[in-house]
Structures are given as C-alpha cells and as structure tokens.
C-alpha cells in the first residue's frame, strides 16, 4: 500500500510524541537503584521469559537491555559504549562507569529500545524497575559492590550449546564471525590472557561458545556464586518453573505474584513459536539436531580449555540432578 502525505505526517507526529515521552521520562524517572530487580543472562538464554514472569509483580516496569551499544547511544552513558561485553573488575574504581550505571538504574536513559517492554504510563506508575541485561556477566560483582542491591540479582545460565544453536538460528545480530575479536576497551586483559587460544578458533560456533565461557565461567567460579546473586539454571526453570520462581521470591522475602502462574505458560515475546516442540527433554536437547559431530567436538574442546564442569554432552547441568519434567511448558521460552 502506497503511503500518502497524510500517512507520513501522522507517522512523523507519532514518532515525535513517542520521542518526547521517552525524553520526558529520562528527566523525570528517579527509581532507587538499590531496589532494582536485575536479571543477567546470555543472549537467547531464556531471560525474556523470566523477565516477563518477574514483571508480573505489581508496581514494576521493565528496563530492556540498557547496555546495547548500538541501541543506546546516549552521551550520558558514553563510557560504556566501547564493547559488547565490557569487563569491570570487582574492585575497580571507574568513576564514569559508576555515574553511567547510576543513571541507567534510575531509569534515566530511556528510548524506544530500553522502554520497549513497558509503556510510558507504566513507567510513571511504577515504583521499581526490572532490569534485563544480556551482556553484564563480567561486571555483575562490580555492580553489586557499588550499588548494594536490596534484592539479589538473578543470574540465569543455560547450556552453552543450546544458547549458541538459538543464536545461530536467529541470525539477527553478531553473526558470521570467523575470528575472535578482543574488545578494544578498558580492562580487556580479561580477554587478552586467552589471546593465543582464541586466535586458533575458526568457526562461528567455537567463537560463540568461547564468549559463553568467558562470561559465564567468571560468575560460576566466583566466590559469590549463588550467594551474592541467585543462580538459576534454565533447565531447572523450564522443568520446574514454580519451584524456581518460589525459590527466587523466598530469597527476596517477597510474596509470589498471584498472576504469575498464568504467565508461566505463555511464550515470551522474543520466542519463535515455530521452534517449540512438546516435551521438556526434547526442548532442552534440540541443539543436538542442529550441530553435527565435528561441531560438537570443536565446542567441547572450547569447554575443556575453559574448564567448564557444569555443562557438557548431558542435557541438564552436571551435579544438579535431572529436575522433574512438566509437559506443556516448552512454548514458554527459547
């Protein structure tokens, strides 16, 4: 259908009104960072589904991926624009980053991207933010030490091969790389110490698994794992969602929202419904049919290099037990 001049003008006015709405919120929002509910997970790790469950809490609004360096180009957080997976050592004294996160966690960096999961009215009515991060793993201990959150952040971890299969199917971002690129950013020695190994990687799946390892092993090996934050395995969340949600809210000493049960069985907004299959076990092991034997061997070599112990060829994380299966939940999240 051909757009008329009136259609174009109406679209322009709508965009301007939306821009003014977010700009106004950036000035007016002043949420208490200490009360924010943080979710940290890998891209395609199930965090959208978990975020939507947590956001059933009355009085919350969702701040969506405020570290995306292309979607959030605010000069107010320019210090964080240089890398997709910026590492900040736990004891680092980085004043500019501290100031940037203070603005982010107060809801003062708003646009169509960060506000996409809640309305302007929703932010105005909210008393608390649910903040979803896909690339904040290697700065989470630093964030906790700087902001002393009242509610322990959630760290959601999913099998690396399942994460990579989902990312490669998506083909929407950061894809097609045949070499590992060490970020040209502050504290990049976190990556540089693995330079020799990383430069030997030559396939997309190896590079993606290496990124998973660098980010997740930092938290899994940390002394604060499941202490300073709440570690949730995606496989357990999908198998026993009510049990895991109850565990989270008990840790927060909050009441589980009454309408969360209905939300559990809804697919997340980022789920490709056509990829859903019936049966938790089949859902969790779909990655097996995506990769061939050689690919799996190469990815296993990456896990061995980074000494990943909790995941391998098994569907569930090692040492965690095979959680009880609940049929019919597989459309919930991808």
């Amino acid at each position: 259908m051909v757009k008329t001049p009136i259609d174009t003008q109406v679209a322009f006015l709508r965009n301007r009104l939306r821009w003014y709405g977010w700009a106004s919120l950036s000035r007016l929002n002043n949420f208490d960072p200490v009360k924010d509910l943080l979710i940290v997970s890998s891209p395609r790790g199930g965090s959208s589904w978990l975020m939507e469950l947590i956001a059933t809490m009355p009085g919350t609004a969702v701040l969506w991926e405020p570290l995306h360096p292309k979607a959030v180009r605010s000069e107010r957080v320019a210090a964080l624009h240089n890398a997709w997976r910026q590492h900040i050592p736990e004891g680092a004294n980085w004043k500019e980053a501290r100031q940037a996160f203070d603005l982010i966690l107060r809801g003062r960096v708003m646009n169509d991207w960060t506000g996409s999961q809640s309305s302007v009215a929703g932010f105005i009515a909210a008393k608390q933010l649910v903040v979803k991060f896909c690339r904040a793993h290697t700065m989470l201990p630093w964030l906790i030490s700087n902001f002393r959150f009242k509610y322990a952040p959630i760290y959601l971890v999913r099998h690396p091969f399942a994460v990579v299969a989902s990312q490669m199917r998506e083909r929407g971002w950061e894809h097609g790389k045949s070499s590992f690129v060490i970020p040209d950013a502050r504290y990049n020695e976190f990556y540089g110490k693995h330079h020799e190994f990383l430069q030997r990687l030559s396939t997309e799946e190896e590079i993606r698994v290496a990124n998973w390892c660098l980010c997740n092993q930092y938290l899994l090996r940390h002394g604060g794992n499941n202490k300073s934050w709440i570690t949730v395995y995606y496989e357990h969340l999908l198998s026993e969602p009510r049990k895991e949600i109850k565990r989270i809210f008990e840790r927060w000493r909050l009441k589980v929202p009454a309408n969360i049960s209905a939300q559990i069985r809804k697919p997340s907004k980022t789920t490709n419904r056509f990829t859903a299959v019936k049966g938790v076990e089949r859902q969790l092991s779909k990655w097996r049919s995506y990769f061939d034997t050689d690919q799996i061997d190469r990815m296993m070599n990456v896990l061995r290099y980074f000494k990943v112990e909790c995941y391998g060829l098994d569907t569930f994380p090692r040492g965690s037990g095979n959680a009880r299966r609940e049929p019919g939940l597989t459309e919930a999240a991808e």
Side-chain angles (χ1 to χ4, degrees), residues 66-69 72-74 76-84 86 88 94 96-101 104 139 142:
L67 292 182
H68 196 297
V72 184
R73 296 299 299 176
S74 168
R76 307 174 83 187
V77 295
L80 303 174
H81 283 162
N82 294 329
W84 280 99
Q86 174 69 58
I88 307 181
W94 189 2
E96 293 81 6
R98 177 63 171 76
Q99 292 172 341
F101 270 106
I104 289 170
M139 59 177 74
W142 178 85

Side-chain angles (χ1 to χ4, degrees), residues 160-181:
F161 298 173
V163 167
V164 171
S166 184
Q167 290 176 352
M168 292 175 69
R169 280 196 301 265
E170 187 70 10
R171 291 290 178 187
W173 37 264
E174 295 185 88
H175 64 83
K177 294 179 180 178
S178 59
S179 62
F180 192 102
V181 178

Side-chain angles (χ1 to χ4, degrees), residues 109-130:
V109 181
M110 300 297 307
N111 61 18
D112 279 345
W113 173 264
T114 57
S116 61
Q117 305 301 305
S118 296
S119 64
V120 171
F123 277 96
I124 292 173
K127 298 179 181 179
Q128 193 174 18
L129 287 179
V130 177

Side-chain angles (χ1 to χ4, degrees), residues 297-316:
D297 286 344
R298 286 194 294 268
M299 293 190 295
M300 283 298 299
N301 286 334
V302 178
L303 295 189
R304 282 190 283 269
Y305 171 83
F306 285 104
K307 299 180 180 179
V308 174
E309 298 176 353
C310 61
Y311 283 110
L313 296 177
D314 299 327
T315 301
F316 281 80

